[in-house]
Amino acid sequence: MSKSALITGVTGQDGAYLAQLLLDKGYKVYGFVARRSSDTSWRLRELGIQGDIEFLEGDLADASSVQRAILTAKPDEVYNLGAQSFVATSWNQPITTGVVDGLGVTHVLEAIRQFSPETRFYQASTSEMFGLIQAEMQDESTPFYPRSPYGVAKLYGHWITVNYRESFNMHASSGILFNHESPLRGIEFVTRKVTDAVARIKLGKQKELRLGNIDAKRDWGFAGDYVEAMWLMLQQDQPDDFVVATGVTTSVRDMLKIAFEHVELNYEDFLVIDPEFFRPAEVDILLGNPAKARNKLGWEPKTSLKELITMMVEADLKRVGKE
Ligand code: NAP
Ligand code: F7E
């Protein structure tokens, strides 16, 4: 019998890649989607999988819709990827971020506990929980110190997942994923903002690129590699928490260089530093230690930052070229 999975956030970057991975493995995939005034399924269409997913309407802020989805699907696995995921927006919408990214997790856990207790659960936790880092390299035992309403809300989501695992013996796992990017990344995140701008500048459609703090450093990986780690976590006999990262940190400045050099341009000729893109509190540097994921899940990142940025620039050159 083939397995079934419900993905919240299926229209997002990770949701799209995870849906593709699970469909390839023969899963029946349910997508929990919030009603929007315009179509948000461009990623699923780009991957050619929109018609293969059964959509269930609901919102993570609406517990009744979450319950209905769990009762309808009774899935073997739930991947809770839905979130207000843009850190900068979390200062403008701290309450929505708290309700969706924090309490929304409890809505899902509670629906599983009541209506489908055998369902395995994955929570999309984040390196943003480390924030003001308390160790040079962050792993599962590093203390948390979030620096944004997003990080704070996600920390609640993380601990409620641990708590339901310990309180109710649920198969609930949390993936502490460091930044991961792809051609399907939202345009507001810095890597995609850069690769889109590189394509536009190269094709004569944009003159400058406005950024904030380019000294920030991130541990960037490829989203396609990271969704495999999510799936592996739910195939283990025991639920647990895992850091998923590359173990390499790079500044925004160096990432910019890689992107512009790919089209033989110098980023310094186009960059404008704009105070609008600085944050009220910054996460200066993140660097993850994925040793536990390597040892227990057999997971390895397969894509270097240069390969990732090249893939993204090439995809954006194609998109912008077609406009
Ligand atoms: P994303 O592209 O922003 O996707 C977020 C998804 O959540 C979208 O499908 C969005 O739907 C959905 N969503 C937003 N609000 C919702 C609500 N109230 N109810 C139901 N669904 C809602 O994010 P991503 O990069 O794929 O990340 C996936 C998850 O991993 C998120 O929880 C994120 O916080 C977490 N995470 C991401 C990273 C990373 O580097 N990408 C790292 C660590 C953790 P619409 O399309 O309709 O808006
Ligand atoms: O910023 C700096 C910015 O928005 C990265 C989310 O997926 O990963 C992501 O959060 C860095 C920050 O990602 C601009 O200040 C400079 O230091 O691409 P980002 P993020 O905030 O790290 C974590 C793990 C998540 O969980 C989140 O959901 O780049 N930066 N100038 C800029 N960032 C943006 N967006 N735009 C700029 O113009």
Side-chain angles (χ1 to χ4, degrees), residues 8-16 32-36 40-41 43 58-62 80-86 96 100-101 122-128 150 154 175-181 184-186 188-189 220 223 226 230:
T8 74
V10 73
T11 53
Q13 170 188 256
D14 293 7
F32 182 76
V33 282
R35 191 256 163 197
R36 301 285 187 249
T40 54
S41 57
R43 295 181 173 95
D59 192 299
L60 283 164
D62 182 332
N80 185 39
L81 311 185
Q84 189 305 95
S85 77
F86 190 41
T96 302
V100 175
D101 300 15
Y122 172 85
Q123 169 57 18
S125 289
T126 165
S127 52
E128 278 294 300
Y150 169 78
K154 280 284 182 177
I176 306 174
L177 270 54
F178 283 61
N179 299 51
H180 46 280
E181 321 291 313
L184 301 184
R185 187 56 143 155
E188 64 274 38
F189 298 93
W220 278 297
Y226 285 37
M230 298 177 187

Side-chain angles (χ1 to χ4, degrees), residues 246-260:
T246 68
V248 178
T249 191
T250 309
S251 65
V252 173
R253 185 193 304 276
D254 285 343
M255 180 271 293
L256 264 172
K257 267 190 207 153
I258 296 174
F260 277 85

Side-chain angles (χ1 to χ4, degrees), residues 5-54:
L6 184 144
I7 304 174
T8 74
V10 73
T11 53
Q13 170 188 256
D14 293 7
Y17 283 116
L18 180 66
Q20 184 181 49
L21 178 88
L22 297 179
L23 287 167
D24 286 348
K25 290 184 185 294
Y27 277 64
K28 160 129 186 105
V29 176
Y30 295 91
F32 182 76
V33 282
R35 191 256 163 197
R36 301 285 187 249
S37 66
S38 54
D39 187 14
T40 54
S41 57
W42 65 274
R43 295 181 173 95
L44 301 174
R45 275 186 275 112
E46 260 197 39
L47 296 181
I49 58 172
Q50 196 190 9
D52 303 325
I53 296 166
E54 185 167 332

